[in-house]
Amino acid sequence: QSFKLLGFLDVQSVPCARESVLYGSLGSLVVGLGHFLATSRVRRSCDFAVGGFISTMLGYWFYCRYSLAQQRIRQRMLKEGMKNRMLFEGSYLDPERNQTDNERSNS
């Protein structure tokens, strides 16, 4: 059974959504409690807690999505490199073969 935030955001299927909500709730608790301990104003502390939730959640969301995009780019480059390695291995286009041929001719 999946958990839907605001009725439409499925937290389990969207990458980084679960962690963003968890870190946002922790940020909300820290900011709200910290403001309450500093000022003893309940209503204002709740406002700060909501702001802390939104800012922490969005901050972690963008950080997580950025690192996920970087990881996908690295995976795509690695997959392409492995494909090229298998394709060119042993042919005259193989860079390792050119290096070994150059070393043999220098000796």
Side-chain angles (χ1 to χ4, degrees):
Q1 181 175 342
S2 64
F3 173 71
K4 292 193 178 197
L5 186 65
L6 300 175
F8 64 90
L9 179 63
D10 189 10
V11 176
Q12 287 182 341
S13 65
V14 177
C16 300
R18 179 181 178 269
E19 291 85 6
S20 297
V21 170
L22 290 175
Y23 282 121
S25 62
L26 182 64
S28 169
L29 181 71
V30 168
V31 170
L33 190 61
H35 189 268
F36 177 74
L37 291 175
T39 62
S40 297
R41 299 170 86 189
V42 176
R43 184 177 175 100
R44 188 81 169 154
S45 297
C46 289
D47 293 341
F48 270 81
V50 170
F53 174 76
I54 292 171
S55 62
T56 307
M57 186 180 75
L58 287 177
Y60 188 76
W61 172 268
F62 287 122
Y63 167 74
C64 183
R65 294 296 285 200
Y66 178 73
S67 63
L68 186 65
Q70 281 184 331
Q71 181 184 8
R72 286 182 179 166
I73 289 170
R74 283 192 303 267
Q75 285 177 344
R76 192 177 320 126
M77 288 174 56
L78 185 62
K79 185 177 180 182
E80 185 70 25
M82 288 172 54
K83 183 178 124 187
N84 287 340
R85 169 72 185 219
M86 288 188 304
L87 186 65
F88 296 130
E89 188 173 24
S91 71
Y92 69 95
L93 297 172
D94 189 8
E96 287 185 13
R97 184 175 179 192
N98 289 338
Q99 287 176 355
T100 56
D101 289 343
N102 290 338
E103 290 172 2
R104 287 182 194 151
S105 64
N106 290 338
S107 302

